[in-house]
PDB file of all heavy atoms in Angstrom:
ATOM      1  N   GLY A 210      37.829  -9.015 -26.529  1.00 86.00           N
ATOM      2  CA  GLY A 210      37.777 -10.377 -27.030  1.00 86.00           C
ATOM      3  C   GLY A 210      36.483 -11.102 -26.801  1.00 86.00           C
ATOM      4  O   GLY A 210      35.382 -10.467 -26.879  1.00 86.00           O
ATOM      5  N   LEU A 211      36.527 -12.347 -26.342  1.00 85.00           N
ATOM      6  CA  LEU A 211      35.363 -13.130 -26.182  1.00 85.00           C
ATOM      7  C   LEU A 211      35.022 -13.366 -24.704  1.00 85.00           C
ATOM      8  O   LEU A 211      35.964 -13.644 -23.895  1.00 85.00           O
ATOM      9  CB  LEU A 211      35.558 -14.578 -26.786  1.00 85.00           C
ATOM     10  CG  LEU A 211      36.067 -14.563 -28.295  1.00 85.00           C
ATOM     11  CD1 LEU A 211      36.275 -15.967 -28.750  1.00 85.00           C
ATOM     12  CD2 LEU A 211      35.035 -13.827 -29.210  1.00 85.00           C
ATOM     13  N   SER A 212      33.790 -13.265 -24.348  1.00 81.00           N
ATOM     14  CA  SER A 212      33.408 -13.498 -22.937  1.00 81.00           C
ATOM     15  C   SER A 212      33.411 -15.030 -22.681  1.00 81.00           C
ATOM     16  O   SER A 212      33.392 -15.814 -23.603  1.00 81.00           O
ATOM     17  CB  SER A 212      32.013 -12.950 -22.664  1.00 81.00           C
ATOM     18  OG  SER A 212      31.947 -11.548 -22.864  1.00 81.00           O
ATOM     19  N   GLU A 213      33.441 -15.372 -21.421  1.00 66.00           N
ATOM     20  CA  GLU A 213      33.331 -16.715 -21.071  1.00 66.00           C
ATOM     21  C   GLU A 213      31.903 -17.294 -21.181  1.00 66.00           C
ATOM     22  O   GLU A 213      31.014 -16.893 -20.436  1.00 66.00           O
ATOM     23  CB  GLU A 213      33.847 -16.934 -19.588  1.00 66.00           C
ATOM     24  CG  GLU A 213      33.742 -18.376 -19.065  1.00 66.00           C
ATOM     25  CD  GLU A 213      34.766 -19.336 -19.763  1.00 66.00           C
ATOM     26  OE1 GLU A 213      35.659 -18.814 -20.364  1.00 66.00           O
ATOM     27  OE2 GLU A 213      34.648 -20.563 -19.573  1.00 66.00           O
ATOM     28  N   ARG A 214      31.637 -18.068 -22.195  1.00 67.00           N
ATOM     29  CA  ARG A 214      30.331 -18.534 -22.414  1.00 67.00           C
ATOM     30  C   ARG A 214      30.327 -20.039 -22.688  1.00 67.00           C
ATOM     31  O   ARG A 214      31.261 -20.604 -23.325  1.00 67.00           O
ATOM     32  CB  ARG A 214      29.718 -17.840 -23.690  1.00 67.00           C
ATOM     33  CG  ARG A 214      29.578 -16.337 -23.521  1.00 67.00           C
ATOM     34  CD  ARG A 214      28.939 -15.651 -24.698  1.00 67.00           C
ATOM     35  NE  ARG A 214      28.969 -14.195 -24.657  1.00 67.00           N
ATOM     36  CZ  ARG A 214      28.063 -13.451 -23.965  1.00 67.00           C
ATOM     37  NH1 ARG A 214      27.091 -14.099 -23.356  1.00 67.00           N
ATOM     38  NH2 ARG A 214      28.199 -12.189 -23.924  1.00 67.00           N
ATOM     39  N   VAL A 215      29.309 -20.676 -22.224  1.00 74.00           N
ATOM     40  CA  VAL A 215      29.157 -22.102 -22.364  1.00 74.00           C
ATOM     41  C   VAL A 215      29.123 -22.539 -23.788  1.00 74.00           C
ATOM     42  O   VAL A 215      29.621 -23.585 -24.193  1.00 74.00           O
ATOM     43  CB  VAL A 215      27.859 -22.647 -21.636  1.00 74.00           C
ATOM     44  CG1 VAL A 215      27.706 -24.102 -21.788  1.00 74.00           C
ATOM     45  CG2 VAL A 215      27.938 -22.317 -20.131  1.00 74.00           C
ATOM     46  N   ILE A 216      28.658 -21.679 -24.652  1.00 81.00           N
ATOM     47  CA  ILE A 216      28.474 -22.041 -26.086  1.00 81.00           C
ATOM     48  C   ILE A 216      29.824 -22.457 -26.747  1.00 81.00           C
ATOM     49  O   ILE A 216      29.837 -23.402 -27.550  1.00 81.00           O
ATOM     50  CB  ILE A 216      27.832 -20.822 -26.872  1.00 81.00           C
ATOM     51  CG1 ILE A 216      27.611 -21.185 -28.329  1.00 81.00           C
ATOM     52  CG2 ILE A 216      28.762 -19.566 -26.766  1.00 81.00           C
ATOM     53  CD1 ILE A 216      26.593 -22.285 -28.575  1.00 81.00           C
ATOM     54  N   TYR A 217      30.877 -21.858 -26.372  1.00 83.00           N
ATOM     55  CA  TYR A 217      32.183 -22.206 -26.958  1.00 83.00           C
ATOM     56  C   TYR A 217      32.538 -23.674 -26.608  1.00 83.00           C
ATOM     57  O   TYR A 217      33.052 -24.398 -27.448  1.00 83.00           O
ATOM     58  CB  TYR A 217      33.246 -21.217 -26.529  1.00 83.00           C
ATOM     59  CG  TYR A 217      33.041 -19.798 -27.021  1.00 83.00           C
ATOM     60  CD1 TYR A 217      32.750 -18.822 -26.124  1.00 83.00           C
ATOM     61  CD2 TYR A 217      33.099 -19.485 -28.338  1.00 83.00           C
ATOM     62  CE1 TYR A 217      32.503 -17.507 -26.550  1.00 83.00           C
ATOM     63  CE2 TYR A 217      32.903 -18.196 -28.802  1.00 83.00           C
ATOM     64  CZ  TYR A 217      32.608 -17.254 -27.940  1.00 83.00           C
ATOM     65  OH  TYR A 217      32.351 -15.903 -28.360  1.00 83.00           O
ATOM     66  N   ARG A 218      32.304 -24.020 -25.364  1.00 84.00           N
ATOM     67  CA  ARG A 218      32.652 -25.389 -24.967  1.00 84.00           C
ATOM     68  C   ARG A 218      31.717 -26.416 -25.586  1.00 84.00           C
ATOM     69  O   ARG A 218      32.073 -27.520 -25.946  1.00 84.00           O
ATOM     70  CB  ARG A 218      32.570 -25.487 -23.423  1.00 84.00           C
ATOM     71  CG  ARG A 218      33.690 -24.686 -22.709  1.00 84.00           C
ATOM     72  CD  ARG A 218      33.757 -24.985 -21.266  1.00 84.00           C
ATOM     73  NE  ARG A 218      32.587 -24.512 -20.529  1.00 84.00           N
ATOM     74  CZ  ARG A 218      32.455 -23.258 -20.039  1.00 84.00           C
ATOM     75  NH1 ARG A 218      33.443 -22.389 -20.248  1.00 84.00           N
ATOM     76  NH2 ARG A 218      31.413 -22.918 -19.395  1.00 84.00           N
ATOM     77  N   GLU A 219      30.426 -25.969 -25.745  1.00 87.00           N
ATOM     78  CA  GLU A 219      29.423 -26.856 -26.358  1.00 87.00           C
ATOM     79  C   GLU A 219      29.737 -27.138 -27.845  1.00 87.00           C
ATOM     80  O   GLU A 219      29.377 -28.197 -28.422  1.00 87.00           O
ATOM     81  CB  GLU A 219      28.041 -26.311 -26.221  1.00 87.00           C
ATOM     82  CG  GLU A 219      27.575 -26.235 -24.780  1.00 87.00           C
ATOM     83  CD  GLU A 219      26.160 -25.648 -24.603  1.00 87.00           C
ATOM     84  OE1 GLU A 219      25.743 -24.903 -25.567  1.00 87.00           O
ATOM     85  OE2 GLU A 219      25.480 -25.857 -23.610  1.00 87.00           O
ATOM     86  N   LEU A 220      30.283 -26.186 -28.501  1.00 91.00           N
ATOM     87  CA  LEU A 220      30.546 -26.247 -29.969  1.00 91.00           C
ATOM     88  C   LEU A 220      31.710 -27.178 -30.365  1.00 91.00           C
ATOM     89  O   LEU A 220      31.797 -27.685 -31.388  1.00 91.00           O
ATOM     90  CB  LEU A 220      30.736 -24.888 -30.572  1.00 91.00           C
ATOM     91  CG  LEU A 220      29.485 -23.975 -30.651  1.00 91.00           C
ATOM     92  CD1 LEU A 220      29.869 -22.590 -31.130  1.00 91.00           C
ATOM     93  CD2 LEU A 220      28.439 -24.567 -31.585  1.00 91.00           C
ATOM     94  N   PHE A 221      32.643 -27.336 -29.390  1.00 93.00           N
ATOM     95  CA  PHE A 221      33.864 -28.099 -29.720  1.00 93.00           C
ATOM     96  C   PHE A 221      33.632 -29.482 -30.236  1.00 93.00           C
ATOM     97  O   PHE A 221      34.221 -29.849 -31.276  1.00 93.00           O
ATOM     98  CB  PHE A 221      34.699 -28.146 -28.460  1.00 93.00           C
ATOM     99  CG  PHE A 221      36.008 -28.997 -28.653  1.00 93.00           C
ATOM    100  CD1 PHE A 221      37.144 -28.485 -29.332  1.00 93.00           C
ATOM    101  CD2 PHE A 221      36.055 -30.223 -28.181  1.00 93.00           C
ATOM    102  CE1 PHE A 221      38.233 -29.232 -29.544  1.00 93.00           C
ATOM    103  CE2 PHE A 221      37.197 -31.050 -28.371  1.00 93.00           C
ATOM    104  CZ  PHE A 221      38.272 -30.493 -29.026  1.00 93.00           C
ATOM    105  N   PRO A 222      32.765 -30.337 -29.687  1.00 95.00           N
ATOM    106  CA  PRO A 222      32.585 -31.679 -30.239  1.00 95.00           C
ATOM    107  C   PRO A 222      32.098 -31.730 -31.634  1.00 95.00           C
ATOM    108  O   PRO A 222      32.453 -32.645 -32.397  1.00 95.00           O
ATOM    109  CB  PRO A 222      31.564 -32.327 -29.237  1.00 95.00           C
ATOM    110  CG  PRO A 222      31.614 -31.562 -27.996  1.00 95.00           C
ATOM    111  CD  PRO A 222      31.957 -30.179 -28.454  1.00 95.00           C
ATOM    112  N   SER A 223      31.307 -30.772 -32.083  1.00 95.00           N
ATOM    113  CA  SER A 223      30.810 -30.707 -33.413  1.00 95.00           C
ATOM    114  C   SER A 223      31.750 -29.929 -34.402  1.00 95.00           C
ATOM    115  O   SER A 223      31.647 -30.080 -35.623  1.00 95.00           O
ATOM    116  CB  SER A 223      29.460 -30.026 -33.520  1.00 95.00           C
ATOM    117  OG  SER A 223      29.528 -28.667 -33.124  1.00 95.00           O
ATOM    118  N   GLY A 224      32.680 -29.193 -33.815  1.00 96.00           N
ATOM    119  CA  GLY A 224      33.582 -28.356 -34.643  1.00 96.00           C
ATOM    120  C   GLY A 224      32.834 -27.192 -35.278  1.00 96.00           C
ATOM    121  O   GLY A 224      33.424 -26.449 -36.146  1.00 96.00           O
ATOM    122  N   LEU A 225      31.609 -26.905 -34.879  1.00 94.00           N
ATOM    123  CA  LEU A 225      30.901 -25.748 -35.406  1.00 94.00           C
ATOM    124  C   LEU A 225      31.306 -24.483 -34.722  1.00 94.00           C
ATOM    125  O   LEU A 225      31.891 -24.524 -33.619  1.00 94.00           O
ATOM    126  CB  LEU A 225      29.365 -25.959 -35.230  1.00 94.00           C
ATOM    127  CG  LEU A 225      28.788 -27.068 -36.066  1.00 94.00           C
ATOM    128  CD1 LEU A 225      27.278 -27.266 -35.695  1.00 94.00           C
ATOM    129  CD2 LEU A 225      28.966 -26.849 -37.549  1.00 94.00           C
ATOM    130  N   THR A 226      31.071 -23.351 -35.318  1.00 93.00           N
ATOM    131  CA  THR A 226      31.402 -22.034 -34.746  1.00 93.00           C
ATOM    132  C   THR A 226      30.186 -21.211 -34.665  1.00 93.00           C
ATOM    133  O   THR A 226      29.123 -21.502 -35.251  1.00 93.00           O
ATOM    134  CB  THR A 226      32.495 -21.344 -35.513  1.00 93.00           C
ATOM    135  OG1 THR A 226      31.928 -20.882 -36.712  1.00 93.00           O
ATOM    136  CG2 THR A 226      33.636 -22.182 -35.808  1.00 93.00           C
ATOM    137  N   LEU A 227      30.262 -20.069 -34.040  1.00 89.00           N
ATOM    138  CA  LEU A 227      29.162 -19.112 -33.955  1.00 89.00           C
ATOM    139  C   LEU A 227      28.757 -18.559 -35.256  1.00 89.00           C
ATOM    140  O   LEU A 227      27.663 -18.009 -35.414  1.00 89.00           O
ATOM    141  CB  LEU A 227      29.479 -18.014 -32.975  1.00 89.00           C
ATOM    142  CG  LEU A 227      29.573 -18.387 -31.548  1.00 89.00           C
ATOM    143  CD1 LEU A 227      30.182 -17.235 -30.686  1.00 89.00           C
ATOM    144  CD2 LEU A 227      28.205 -18.724 -30.972  1.00 89.00           C
ATOM    145  N   LEU A 228      29.594 -18.728 -36.266  1.00 92.00           N
ATOM    146  CA  LEU A 228      29.294 -18.213 -37.623  1.00 92.00           C
ATOM    147  C   LEU A 228      28.486 -19.155 -38.456  1.00 92.00           C
ATOM    148  O   LEU A 228      28.017 -18.730 -39.523  1.00 92.00           O
ATOM    149  CB  LEU A 228      30.585 -17.856 -38.363  1.00 92.00           C
ATOM    150  CG  LEU A 228      31.506 -16.761 -37.691  1.00 92.00           C
ATOM    151  CD1 LEU A 228      32.755 -16.599 -38.480  1.00 92.00           C
ATOM    152  CD2 LEU A 228      30.719 -15.448 -37.581  1.00 92.00           C
ATOM    153  N   ASP A 229      28.288 -20.357 -37.985  1.00 92.00           N
ATOM    154  CA  ASP A 229      27.639 -21.423 -38.805  1.00 92.00           C
ATOM    155  C   ASP A 229      26.150 -21.350 -38.622  1.00 92.00           C
ATOM    156  O   ASP A 229      25.498 -22.273 -38.167  1.00 92.00           O
ATOM    157  CB  ASP A 229      28.190 -22.793 -38.420  1.00 92.00           C
ATOM    158  CG  ASP A 229      29.587 -22.982 -38.751  1.00 92.00           C
ATOM    159  OD1 ASP A 229      29.994 -22.692 -39.924  1.00 92.00           O
ATOM    160  OD2 ASP A 229      30.445 -23.374 -37.901  1.00 92.00           O
TER     161      ASP A 229
END
Side-chain angles (χ1 to χ4, degrees):
L211 308 178
S212 299
E213 177 70 14
R214 299 182 187 276
V215 176
I216 183 64
Y217 295 112
R218 295 189 291 274
E219 291 179 341
L220 288 174
F221 175 79
S223 66
L225 295 175
T226 73
L227 290 167
L228 299 177
D229 295 308

